């Protein structure tokens, strides 16, 4: 269930729920496999910049905005985003999706719980099953180009519905995972809680290493990731990402599409 409307906080065109990681974990503990379907999104700087770029004019942009606006919980994934929000007079607690995923496995999921995954590969599934032997972990591996393949998108959504999992982890990257979550929510008879988690499972099984905690606290995890995968991430962090400062300035001044409500 979404937090009370007067508790949510608007920033850069989205309504954020003011939950930190501890509060989000407490919310997840109440989730039941048989409860009506709910899904959690965790916007960061990259997500906000993408939302601004796609707008609402084309079908993909409309679907992406609808996916964020239809989420049961919207949690701030980024310390950079939270600091910009504070500069604009908005307090956003931080609940990083990677931290939330770790704590879901370590503290929330109970023996026998079904955890369904959309994304990853068979090696990832094997590693998770080896580490979390008490959980019933199932997986659907969609093809590349998911958003350009209506049949594959429908199959992913059907898996999310039919898995009957307590938790569904969408690990196909943004914006695919948010749109898949919304597609699942639109199907009748869905249940459980879905989380849009990006690469979080790769951190859990050791395929990727997160930044040291001191870098995370400084809001420099992006720099660690850039240093780890420069060829893949240089454009995201050095070209596209800095646009967030222009968006925040416009929001603070009450200008542009991301102006305050």
């Amino acid at each position: 269930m979404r937090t009370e409307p007067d508790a949510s906080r608007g920033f850069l065109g989205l309504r954020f729920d003011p939950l930190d990681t501890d509060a989000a974990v407490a919310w997840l503990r109440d989730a039941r496999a048989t409860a009506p379907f709910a899904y959690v999104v965790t916007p960061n700087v990259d997500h906000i910049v993408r939302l601004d770029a796609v707008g609402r004019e084309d079908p993909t942009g409309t679907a992406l905005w609808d996916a964020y606006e239809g989420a049961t919980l919207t949690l701030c994934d980024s310390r950079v985003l939270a600091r910009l929000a504070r500069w604009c007079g908005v307090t956003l607690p931080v609940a990083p999706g990677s931290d939330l995923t770790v704590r879901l496995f370590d503290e929330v999921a109970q023996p026998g719980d079904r955890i369904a995954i959309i994304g990853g590969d068979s090696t990832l599934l094997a590693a998770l099953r080896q580490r979390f032997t008490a959980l019933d972990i199932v997986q659907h591996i969609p093809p590349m180009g998911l958003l350009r393949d209506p049949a594959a998108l429908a199959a992913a959504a059907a898996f999310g519905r039919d898995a009957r999992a307590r938790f569904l982890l969408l690990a196909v990257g943004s914006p695919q995972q948010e749109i898949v979550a919304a597609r699942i929510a639109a199907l009748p008879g869905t249940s459980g809680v879905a989380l849009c988690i990006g690469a979080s499972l790769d951190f859990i099984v050791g395929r990727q290493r997160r930044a040291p905690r001191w870098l995370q606290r400084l809001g420099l995890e992006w720099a660690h990731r850039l240093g780890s995968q420069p060829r893949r991430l240089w454009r995201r962090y050095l070209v596209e990402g800095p646009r967030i400062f222009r968006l925040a300035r416009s929001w603070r001044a009450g200008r542009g599409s991301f102006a305050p409500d």
Side-chain angles (χ1 to χ4, degrees):
M1 180 180 297
R2 180 173 276 280
T3 53
E4 292 300 320
D6 60 351
S8 65
R9 299 166 187 180
F11 184 54
L12 296 180
L14 295 179
R15 305 298 303 184
F16 287 86
D17 294 282
L19 278 65
D20 61 12
T21 304
D22 288 339
V25 167
W27 186 89
L28 289 174
R29 286 197 180 100
D30 291 334
R32 297 293 176 265
T34 56
F37 184 72
Y39 69 95
V40 181
V41 295
T42 54
N44 58 29
V45 168
D46 180 49
H47 298 180
I48 297 291
V49 168
R50 181 184 301 111
L51 279 168
D52 176 64
V54 298
R56 297 175 184 262
E57 291 74 28
D58 65 87
T60 298
T62 298
L64 187 55
W65 274 101
D66 288 347
Y68 279 100
E69 292 170 350
T72 312
L73 281 184
T74 300
L75 306 176
C76 177
D77 179 75
S78 166
R79 288 176 173 83
V80 172
L81 198 61
R83 288 169 182 169
L84 284 172
R86 189 180 307 120
W87 177 67
C88 293
V90 179
T91 301
L92 293 182
V94 178
S98 294
D99 291 344
L100 198 58
T101 306
V102 169
R103 293 185 61 178
L104 183 149
F105 276 97
D106 290 346
E107 303 175 29
V108 179
Q110 299 298 307
D113 277 349
R114 170 162 285 191
I115 309 293
I117 300 166
I118 296 178
D121 54 31
S122 58
T123 303
L124 172 67
L125 178 63
L128 289 169
R129 284 177 169 172
Q130 183 177 24
R131 179 167 177 175
F132 303 102
T133 57
L135 300 178
D136 176 18
I137 306 176
V138 297
Q139 181 187 42
H140 171 74
I141 305 174
M144 298 292 289
L146 185 58
L147 295 186
R148 299 186 300 275
D149 187 336
L153 189 57
F159 170 83
R161 175 196 61 201
D162 297 340
R164 302 300 178 192
R166 184 182 179 196
F167 297 109
L168 171 64
L169 305 180
L170 301 172
V172 290
S174 184
Q176 291 83 204
Q177 57 198 19
E178 291 82 13
I179 291 176
V180 171
R183 288 288 295 267
I184 297 169
L187 296 176
T190 56
S191 59
V193 171
L195 292 88
C196 299
I197 64 163
S200 297
L201 296 176
D202 285 340
F203 297 127
I204 288 176
V205 301
R207 285 180 167 182
Q208 296 186 47
R209 296 183 65 85
R210 288 193 70 186
R213 282 289 179 184
W214 66 271
L215 275 178
Q216 294 179 39
R217 287 192 294 269
L218 291 173
L220 293 174
E221 188 165 12
W222 66 269
H224 174 83
R225 294 197 66 195
L226 176 61
S228 301
Q229 303 178 66
R231 294 184 64 181
R232 187 173 76 85
L233 298 176
W234 72 269
R235 183 172 182 83
R236 177 190 301 182
Y237 291 130
L238 300 181
V239 177
E240 297 166 353
R243 289 168 50 199
I244 194 68
F245 300 106
R246 174 180 59 80
L247 294 176
R249 283 196 302 270
S250 294
W251 193 92
R252 190 183 192 202
R255 302 190 304 268
S257 60
F258 280 0
D261 297 336

